[in-house]
Amino acid sequence: MKKILLAIILMLLPGFAFAQSAVRCPNPSKRQGSVNHIFFSFKDKSANLGSYLPKNLALVEEQYLKNGPRCLTKQTYNAFLSKLDALKKDNNQSLLISSSWRSPKTQMYFAKNRSEFAASPGRSEHQLGTTVDLDFLGSKEEDLFGDSVAYKWMQENAHKYGFVQSFDAEGEKLTGIPNEPWHWRFVGETIATKVKTEKLNLNQYLFDRKEAKKKGVKL
């Protein structure tokens, strides 16, 4: 419990320098209910993660962090590293993670301090452990990410590694959330490719997919 509290406190301190061996990502209770953290949709306003904590959270290495410490699911982290390798080979660019998994308490902090972007606790993709806010090396403001070479590359290639920009200008009328070029969610290559090529809204598609599955229909 002390280690979990320490990790949460440190995640609230953007400039904190940490020893990789001193911090651990928390593990969920065995009594916790099941949530499909890859395909969970927030389209329904009643959808809420509550106190859900994803399994297999891995600590992100300090060299990939703008601030930290940070945790991601192992699957998401591995996909991020593969994407980063490709970006470096193509454009000699790098990416930093400014935010990733957030606990409900941490999300409350963001909701109070960045209400124009941050969702309320239980309603944030960050709580899934599959979502990253990105920035490029040397930038002091993530808002500048949308003008970067790295972002242009992400728009064209991120789906190959399972990532989708959750909130873009085209989907703002549907979601009510402003364009967030820095906010990317891992959903696997198959769905990411479908969302990109068919120009779908991610949360709408995931909701439709869930409803279709109930009826035995495959989207």
mmCIF file of all heavy atoms in Angstrom, residues 1 3 13 28 47 50 52 56 62-63 110 135 143 146 152 154 167-168 180 190 203:
data_model
loop_
_atom_site.group_PDB
_atom_site.id
_atom_site.type_symbol
_atom_site.label_atom_id
_atom_site.label_comp_id
_atom_site.label_asym_id
_atom_site.label_seq_id
_atom_site.Cartn_x
_atom_site.Cartn_y
_atom_site.Cartn_z
ATOM 1 N N MET A 1 0.826 -1.205 0.000
ATOM 2 C CA MET A 1 0.000 0.000 0.000
ATOM 3 C C MET A 1 0.867 1.264 0.000
ATOM 4 O O MET A 1 0.575 2.226 -0.699
ATOM 5 C CB MET A 1 -0.911 -0.004 1.223
ATOM 6 C CG MET A 1 -1.789 1.251 1.311
ATOM 7 S SD MET A 1 -2.879 1.455 -0.127
ATOM 8 C CE MET A 1 -4.052 0.129 0.226
ATOM 9 N N LYS A 3 3.834 1.644 -1.236
ATOM 10 C CA LYS A 3 4.442 1.814 -2.556
ATOM 11 C C LYS A 3 3.440 2.394 -3.542
ATOM 12 O O LYS A 3 3.780 3.213 -4.396
ATOM 13 C CB LYS A 3 4.987 0.477 -3.074
ATOM 14 C CG LYS A 3 6.219 -0.011 -2.322
ATOM 15 C CD LYS A 3 6.732 -1.311 -2.908
ATOM 16 C CE LYS A 3 7.996 -1.778 -2.196
ATOM 17 N NZ LYS A 3 8.491 -3.052 -2.753
ATOM 18 N N LEU A 13 3.769 15.066 -9.391
ATOM 19 C CA LEU A 13 4.862 16.029 -9.359
ATOM 20 C C LEU A 13 5.600 16.003 -10.682
ATOM 21 O O LEU A 13 6.497 15.202 -10.889
ATOM 22 C CB LEU A 13 5.821 15.685 -8.210
ATOM 23 C CG LEU A 13 5.181 15.626 -6.811
ATOM 24 C CD1 LEU A 13 6.199 15.186 -5.778
ATOM 25 C CD2 LEU A 13 4.615 16.996 -6.437
ATOM 26 N N PRO A 28 -3.826 -4.402 -9.449
ATOM 27 C CA PRO A 28 -5.229 -4.393 -9.016
ATOM 28 C C PRO A 28 -5.531 -5.489 -7.999
ATOM 29 O O PRO A 28 -4.834 -6.504 -7.928
ATOM 30 C CB PRO A 28 -5.989 -4.660 -10.326
ATOM 31 C CG PRO A 28 -5.026 -5.443 -11.161
ATOM 32 C CD PRO A 28 -3.668 -4.877 -10.830
ATOM 33 N N ALA A 47 -21.075 5.366 -19.012
ATOM 34 C CA ALA A 47 -19.875 4.526 -18.929
ATOM 35 C C ALA A 47 -18.880 5.153 -17.959
ATOM 36 O O ALA A 47 -18.479 6.298 -18.117
ATOM 37 C CB ALA A 47 -19.249 4.372 -20.308
ATOM 38 N N GLY A 50 -15.007 3.813 -12.671
ATOM 39 C CA GLY A 50 -14.971 3.751 -11.214
ATOM 40 C C GLY A 50 -13.540 3.748 -10.710
ATOM 41 O O GLY A 50 -12.726 4.568 -11.096
ATOM 42 N N TYR A 52 -11.432 1.295 -11.288
ATOM 43 C CA TYR A 52 -10.738 0.260 -12.067
ATOM 44 C C TYR A 52 -9.232 0.540 -12.196
ATOM 45 O O TYR A 52 -8.808 1.663 -12.452
ATOM 46 C CB TYR A 52 -11.346 0.162 -13.466
ATOM 47 C CG TYR A 52 -10.551 -0.724 -14.399
ATOM 48 C CD1 TYR A 52 -10.597 -2.111 -14.290
ATOM 49 C CD2 TYR A 52 -9.735 -0.163 -15.387
ATOM 50 C CE1 TYR A 52 -9.859 -2.921 -15.135
ATOM 51 C CE2 TYR A 52 -8.994 -0.966 -16.243
ATOM 52 C CZ TYR A 52 -9.060 -2.347 -16.115
ATOM 53 O OH TYR A 52 -8.321 -3.148 -16.955
ATOM 54 N N ASN A 56 -1.045 -5.651 -15.312
ATOM 55 C CA ASN A 56 0.212 -5.643 -16.074
ATOM 56 C C ASN A 56 0.723 -4.243 -16.404
ATOM 57 O O ASN A 56 1.216 -3.988 -17.505
ATOM 58 C CB ASN A 56 0.053 -6.444 -17.375
ATOM 59 C CG ASN A 56 -0.299 -7.895 -17.127
ATOM 60 O OD1 ASN A 56 0.263 -8.520 -16.231
ATOM 61 N ND2 ASN A 56 -1.229 -8.421 -17.900
ATOM 62 N N GLU A 62 12.908 6.120 -17.860
ATOM 63 C CA GLU A 62 13.029 7.564 -17.691
ATOM 64 C C GLU A 62 13.405 8.273 -18.992
ATOM 65 O O GLU A 62 13.009 9.423 -19.220
ATOM 66 C CB GLU A 62 14.060 7.866 -16.608
ATOM 67 C CG GLU A 62 14.093 9.310 -16.172
ATOM 68 C CD GLU A 62 14.994 9.523 -14.971
ATOM 69 O OE1 GLU A 62 15.669 8.576 -14.539
ATOM 70 O OE2 GLU A 62 15.011 10.661 -14.467
ATOM 71 N N GLN A 63 14.150 7.615 -19.863
ATOM 72 C CA GLN A 63 14.593 8.252 -21.105
ATOM 73 C C GLN A 63 13.445 8.597 -22.045
ATOM 74 O O GLN A 63 13.603 9.420 -22.951
ATOM 75 C CB GLN A 63 15.584 7.340 -21.834
ATOM 76 C CG GLN A 63 14.963 6.077 -22.405
ATOM 77 C CD GLN A 63 15.988 5.087 -22.879
ATOM 78 O OE1 GLN A 63 16.541 4.318 -22.088
ATOM 79 N NE2 GLN A 63 16.263 5.103 -24.166
ATOM 80 N N PHE A 110 -6.013 16.513 -12.388
ATOM 81 C CA PHE A 110 -5.988 17.075 -13.729
ATOM 82 C C PHE A 110 -7.320 17.742 -14.076
ATOM 83 O O PHE A 110 -7.356 18.785 -14.736
ATOM 84 C CB PHE A 110 -5.655 15.991 -14.762
ATOM 85 C CG PHE A 110 -4.192 15.707 -14.884
ATOM 86 C CD1 PHE A 110 -3.596 14.704 -14.140
ATOM 87 C CD2 PHE A 110 -3.398 16.442 -15.745
ATOM 88 C CE1 PHE A 110 -2.242 14.443 -14.241
ATOM 89 C CE2 PHE A 110 -2.039 16.194 -15.866
ATOM 90 C CZ PHE A 110 -1.454 15.188 -15.113
ATOM 91 N N ASP A 135 4.824 14.360 -26.543
ATOM 92 C CA ASP A 135 5.481 15.612 -26.875
ATOM 93 C C ASP A 135 6.777 15.264 -27.588
ATOM 94 O O ASP A 135 7.228 14.105 -27.555
ATOM 95 C CB ASP A 135 5.765 16.431 -25.617
ATOM 96 C CG ASP A 135 5.705 17.930 -25.892
ATOM 97 O OD1 ASP A 135 5.859 18.315 -27.067
ATOM 98 O OD2 ASP A 135 5.498 18.699 -24.945
ATOM 99 N N ASP A 143 1.057 21.557 -26.331
ATOM 100 C CA ASP A 143 0.156 22.164 -27.313
ATOM 101 C C ASP A 143 0.844 22.366 -28.661
ATOM 102 O O ASP A 143 0.178 22.485 -29.695
ATOM 103 C CB ASP A 143 -0.347 23.517 -26.795
ATOM 104 C CG ASP A 143 -1.231 23.381 -25.566
ATOM 105 O OD1 ASP A 143 -1.424 22.242 -25.114
ATOM 106 O OD2 ASP A 143 -1.716 24.398 -25.061
ATOM 107 N N GLY A 146 1.083 19.440 -32.231
ATOM 108 C CA GLY A 146 0.319 19.369 -33.473
ATOM 109 C C GLY A 146 1.034 19.968 -34.665
ATOM 110 O O GLY A 146 0.661 19.694 -35.810
ATOM 111 N N LYS A 152 3.004 14.730 -37.632
ATOM 112 C CA LYS A 152 2.660 14.422 -39.024
ATOM 113 C C LYS A 152 2.944 12.954 -39.319
ATOM 114 O O LYS A 152 2.165 12.275 -39.996
ATOM 115 C CB LYS A 152 3.460 15.321 -39.983
ATOM 116 C CG LYS A 152 3.228 16.819 -39.777
ATOM 117 C CD LYS A 152 1.778 17.206 -39.981
ATOM 118 C CE LYS A 152 1.582 18.723 -39.948
ATOM 119 N NZ LYS A 152 1.902 19.343 -38.657
ATOM 120 N N MET A 154 2.975 10.555 -37.053
ATOM 121 C CA MET A 154 1.980 9.796 -36.292
ATOM 122 C C MET A 154 0.670 9.701 -37.056
ATOM 123 O O MET A 154 0.039 8.633 -37.098
ATOM 124 C CB MET A 154 1.739 10.465 -34.940
ATOM 125 C CG MET A 154 2.873 10.354 -33.954
ATOM 126 S SD MET A 154 2.946 8.741 -33.148
ATOM 127 C CE MET A 154 1.470 8.787 -32.153
ATOM 128 N N PHE A 167 -9.109 12.153 -30.070
ATOM 129 C CA PHE A 167 -9.909 13.366 -30.238
ATOM 130 C C PHE A 167 -9.272 14.270 -31.289
ATOM 131 O O PHE A 167 -8.193 14.826 -31.075
ATOM 132 C CB PHE A 167 -10.030 14.103 -28.902
ATOM 133 C CG PHE A 167 -10.474 13.210 -27.779
ATOM 134 C CD1 PHE A 167 -9.610 12.900 -26.742
ATOM 135 C CD2 PHE A 167 -11.741 12.638 -27.783
ATOM 136 C CE1 PHE A 167 -9.995 12.064 -25.714
ATOM 137 C CE2 PHE A 167 -12.141 11.794 -26.766
ATOM 138 C CZ PHE A 167 -11.274 11.504 -25.731
ATOM 139 N N ASP A 168 -9.948 14.397 -32.425
ATOM 140 C CA ASP A 168 -9.449 15.265 -33.487
ATOM 141 C C ASP A 168 -10.509 16.295 -33.847
ATOM 142 O O ASP A 168 -11.626 16.284 -33.326
ATOM 143 C CB ASP A 168 -9.033 14.451 -34.722
ATOM 144 C CG ASP A 168 -10.159 13.556 -35.232
ATOM 145 O OD1 ASP A 168 -11.347 13.863 -34.975
ATOM 146 O OD2 ASP A 168 -9.854 12.560 -35.899
ATOM 147 N N GLU A 180 -7.041 17.193 -29.771
ATOM 148 C CA GLU A 180 -5.892 16.924 -28.914
ATOM 149 C C GLU A 180 -4.854 16.131 -29.705
ATOM 150 O O GLU A 180 -4.818 14.898 -29.641
ATOM 151 C CB GLU A 180 -6.306 16.157 -27.663
ATOM 152 C CG GLU A 180 -7.253 16.925 -26.749
ATOM 153 C CD GLU A 180 -7.506 16.218 -25.431
ATOM 154 O OE1 GLU A 180 -6.869 15.166 -25.178
ATOM 155 O OE2 GLU A 180 -8.343 16.701 -24.657
ATOM 156 N N THR A 190 -5.379 -3.881 -35.783
ATOM 157 C CA THR A 190 -6.568 -4.134 -36.603
ATOM 158 C C THR A 190 -7.586 -3.005 -36.484
ATOM 159 O O THR A 190 -8.044 -2.437 -37.483
ATOM 160 C CB THR A 190 -7.226 -5.466 -36.211
ATOM 161 O OG1 THR A 190 -6.288 -6.528 -36.418
ATOM 162 C CG2 THR A 190 -8.461 -5.719 -37.059
ATOM 163 N N ASN A 203 -14.365 6.201 -30.212
ATOM 164 C CA ASN A 203 -15.299 5.780 -29.164
ATOM 165 C C ASN A 203 -16.669 5.403 -29.718
ATOM 166 O O ASN A 203 -17.336 4.517 -29.198
ATOM 167 C CB ASN A 203 -15.421 6.868 -28.093
ATOM 168 C CG ASN A 203 -14.403 6.685 -26.977
ATOM 169 O OD1 ASN A 203 -14.472 5.730 -26.214
ATOM 170 N ND2 ASN A 203 -13.447 7.588 -26.911
#
